[in-house]
Tab-separated table of all heavy atoms in Angstrom:
chain	number	residue	atom	x	y	z
B	1243	ASN	N	11.347	29.283	32.319
B	1243	ASN	CA	12.580	29.058	33.083
B	1243	ASN	C	13.370	27.836	32.600
B	1243	ASN	O	13.858	27.045	33.397
B	1243	ASN	CB	12.255	28.917	34.584
B	1243	ASN	CG	13.358	29.499	35.470
B	1243	ASN	OD1	14.070	30.426	35.052
B	1243	ASN	ND2	13.508	28.957	36.655
B	1244	ALA	N	13.478	27.710	31.285
B	1244	ALA	CA	14.240	26.609	30.682
B	1244	ALA	C	15.371	27.187	29.830
B	1244	ALA	O	15.198	28.216	29.177
B	1244	ALA	CB	13.326	25.740	29.825
B	1245	SER	N	16.518	26.503	29.833
B	1245	SER	CA	17.732	27.094	29.243
B	1245	SER	C	17.633	27.290	27.727
B	1245	SER	O	18.306	28.157	27.184
B	1245	SER	CB	18.949	26.227	29.575
B	1245	SER	OG	18.750	24.914	29.089
B	1246	SER	N	16.800	26.505	27.040
B	1246	SER	CA	16.752	26.641	25.580
B	1246	SER	C	15.448	27.279	25.104
B	1246	SER	O	15.000	27.019	23.990
B	1246	SER	CB	16.937	25.279	24.921
B	1246	SER	OG	15.899	24.414	25.314
B	1247	ILE	N	14.836	28.084	25.960
B	1247	ILE	CA	13.627	28.816	25.569
B	1247	ILE	C	13.788	30.293	25.914
B	1247	ILE	O	14.206	30.636	27.021
B	1247	ILE	CB	12.384	28.275	26.301
B	1247	ILE	CG1	12.247	26.767	26.096
B	1247	ILE	CG2	11.125	29.002	25.802
B	1247	ILE	CD1	11.004	26.187	26.712
B	1248	VAL	N	13.485	31.160	24.928
B	1248	VAL	CA	13.455	32.598	25.206
B	1248	VAL	C	12.313	32.841	26.190
B	1248	VAL	O	11.163	32.509	25.893
B	1248	VAL	CB	13.201	33.389	23.903
B	1248	VAL	CG1	13.109	34.881	24.202
B	1248	VAL	CG2	14.293	33.106	22.878
B	1249	PRO	N	12.605	33.359	27.407
B	1249	PRO	CA	11.561	33.465	28.429
B	1249	PRO	C	10.450	34.431	28.007
B	1249	PRO	O	10.720	35.515	27.514
B	1249	PRO	CB	12.305	33.968	29.668
B	1249	PRO	CG	13.559	34.588	29.148
B	1249	PRO	CD	13.914	33.866	27.882
B	1250	GLY	N	9.197	34.012	28.231
B	1250	GLY	CA	8.047	34.773	27.761
B	1250	GLY	C	7.347	35.575	28.845
B	1250	GLY	O	6.535	36.450	28.541
B	1251	ARG	N	7.634	35.267	30.099
B	1251	ARG	CA	6.990	36.011	31.185
B	1251	ARG	C	7.910	36.056	32.399
B	1251	ARG	O	8.581	35.073	32.713
B	1251	ARG	CB	5.654	35.382	31.583
B	1251	ARG	CG	4.861	36.239	32.564
B	1251	ARG	CD	3.410	35.777	32.739
B	1251	ARG	NE	3.296	34.650	33.677
B	1251	ARG	CZ	2.923	33.424	33.326
B	1251	ARG	NH1	2.650	33.140	32.071
B	1251	ARG	NH2	2.846	32.473	34.217
B	1252	VAL	N	7.935	37.197	33.086
B	1252	VAL	CA	8.687	37.301	34.336
B	1252	VAL	C	7.880	38.124	35.330
B	1252	VAL	O	7.210	39.090	34.955
B	1252	VAL	CB	10.082	37.947	34.133
B	1252	VAL	CG1	9.972	39.405	33.700
B	1252	VAL	CG2	10.925	37.830	35.407
B	1253	GLU	N	7.835	37.665	36.586
B	1253	GLU	CA	7.270	38.462	37.669
B	1253	GLU	C	8.394	38.709	38.660
B	1253	GLU	O	9.154	37.800	38.974
B	1253	GLU	CB	6.115	37.740	38.367
B	1253	GLU	CG	5.443	38.615	39.422
B	1253	GLU	CD	4.470	37.844	40.325
B	1253	GLU	OE1	4.951	37.095	41.207
B	1253	GLU	OE2	3.259	37.989	40.150
B	1254	PHE	N	8.521	39.935	39.104
B	1254	PHE	CA	9.582	40.232	40.073
B	1254	PHE	C	9.102	41.241	41.097
B	1254	PHE	O	8.107	41.938	40.901
B	1254	PHE	CB	10.854	40.727	39.366
B	1254	PHE	CG	10.692	42.002	38.584
B	1254	PHE	CD1	11.051	43.223	39.136
B	1254	PHE	CD2	10.189	41.984	37.293
B	1254	PHE	CE1	10.917	44.408	38.416
B	1254	PHE	CE2	10.047	43.157	36.561
B	1254	PHE	CZ	10.412	44.371	37.122
B	1255	SER	N	9.808	41.264	42.242
B	1255	SER	CA	9.460	42.187	43.326
B	1255	SER	C	10.393	43.384	43.274
B	1255	SER	O	11.558	43.266	42.889
B	1255	SER	CB	9.636	41.483	44.679
B	1255	SER	OG	11.002	41.178	44.897
B	1256	LEU	N	9.861	44.534	43.645
B	1256	LEU	CA	10.698	45.721	43.827
B	1256	LEU	C	10.291	46.349	45.152
B	1256	LEU	O	9.111	46.585	45.402
B	1256	LEU	CB	10.511	46.702	42.666
B	1256	LEU	CG	11.350	47.983	42.729
B	1256	LEU	CD1	12.831	47.678	42.843
B	1256	LEU	CD2	11.089	48.837	41.491
B	1257	GLN	N	11.282	46.548	46.033
B	1257	GLN	CA	11.019	47.140	47.338
B	1257	GLN	C	11.944	48.341	47.510
B	1257	GLN	O	13.116	48.263	47.147
B	1257	GLN	CB	11.295	46.120	48.438
B	1257	GLN	CG	11.004	46.642	49.830
B	1257	GLN	CD	11.345	45.626	50.898
B	1257	GLN	OE1	12.452	45.612	51.415
B	1257	GLN	NE2	10.396	44.757	51.224
B	1258	TRP	N	11.399	49.471	48.018
B	1258	TRP	CA	12.245	50.635	48.263
B	1258	TRP	C	11.874	51.262	49.601
B	1258	TRP	O	10.720	51.194	50.022
B	1258	TRP	CB	12.193	51.623	47.106
B	1258	TRP	CG	10.885	52.263	46.755
B	1258	TRP	CD1	10.514	53.550	46.970
B	1258	TRP	CD2	9.752	51.661	46.071
B	1258	TRP	NE1	9.246	53.795	46.476
B	1258	TRP	CE2	8.755	52.656	45.921
B	1258	TRP	CE3	9.494	50.367	45.584
B	1258	TRP	CZ2	7.527	52.414	45.306
B	1258	TRP	CZ3	8.263	50.123	44.970
B	1258	TRP	CH2	7.301	51.133	44.836
B	1259	ARG	N	12.896	51.813	50.303
B	1259	ARG	CA	12.711	52.332	51.662
B	1259	ARG	C	13.402	53.680	51.831
B	1259	ARG	O	14.513	53.881	51.345
B	1259	ARG	CB	13.314	51.364	52.686
B	1259	ARG	CG	12.818	49.950	52.578
B	1259	ARG	CD	13.453	49.076	53.646
B	1259	ARG	NE	13.095	47.674	53.458
B	1259	ARG	CZ	12.756	46.854	54.450
B	1259	ARG	NH1	12.738	47.295	55.694
B	1259	ARG	NH2	12.458	45.597	54.193
B	1260	ASP	N	12.739	54.577	52.544
B	1260	ASP	CA	13.325	55.874	52.862
B	1260	ASP	C	12.524	56.498	54.001
B	1260	ASP	O	11.348	56.183	54.192
B	1260	ASP	CB	13.289	56.794	51.630
B	1260	ASP	CG	14.149	58.032	51.815
B	1260	ASP	OD1	15.365	57.953	51.528
B	1260	ASP	OD2	13.624	59.062	52.289
B	1261	ALA	N	13.148	57.404	54.769
B	1261	ALA	CA	12.459	58.043	55.891
B	1261	ALA	C	11.541	59.175	55.430
B	1261	ALA	O	10.743	59.686	56.207
B	1261	ALA	CB	13.486	58.578	56.889
B	1262	ASP	N	11.637	59.562	54.152
B	1262	ASP	CA	10.884	60.700	53.636
B	1262	ASP	C	9.786	60.223	52.686
B	1262	ASP	O	10.060	59.669	51.619
B	1262	ASP	CB	11.861	61.636	52.900
B	1262	ASP	CG	11.165	62.805	52.228
B	1262	ASP	OD1	9.912	62.835	52.195
B	1262	ASP	OD2	11.885	63.684	51.713
B	1263	ALA	N	8.527	60.446	53.076
B	1263	ALA	CA	7.385	59.958	52.280
B	1263	ALA	C	7.373	60.574	50.876
B	1263	ALA	O	7.005	59.907	49.910
B	1263	ALA	CB	6.070	60.267	53.000
B	1264	ASP	N	7.817	61.834	50.762
B	1264	ASP	CA	7.841	62.465	49.434
B	1264	ASP	C	8.850	61.757	48.524
B	1264	ASP	O	8.583	61.532	47.345
B	1264	ASP	CB	8.226	63.944	49.556
B	1264	ASP	CG	7.154	64.740	50.294
B	1264	ASP	OD1	6.021	64.215	50.395
B	1264	ASP	OD2	7.459	65.835	50.785
B	1265	ARG	N	9.994	61.401	49.102
B	1265	ARG	CA	11.006	60.718	48.290
B	1265	ARG	C	10.475	59.355	47.840
B	1265	ARG	O	10.659	58.962	46.675
B	1265	ARG	CB	12.316	60.556	49.050
B	1265	ARG	CG	13.404	59.870	48.227
B	1265	ARG	CD	14.768	59.914	48.880
B	1265	ARG	NE	15.282	61.256	48.969
B	1265	ARG	CZ	15.375	61.957	50.102
B	1265	ARG	NH1	15.008	61.412	51.243
B	1265	ARG	NH2	15.848	63.186	50.101
Side-chain angles (χ1 to χ4, degrees):
Chain B
N1243 214 28
S1245 58
S1246 61
I1247 306 184
V1248 178
R1251 188 168 81 247
V1252 66
E1253 185 191 75
F1254 62 97
S1255 66
L1256 181 56
Q1257 182 182 91
W1258 62 108
R1259 306 181 186 222
D1260 192 86
D1262 176 352
D1264 294 343
R1265 181 170 294 108

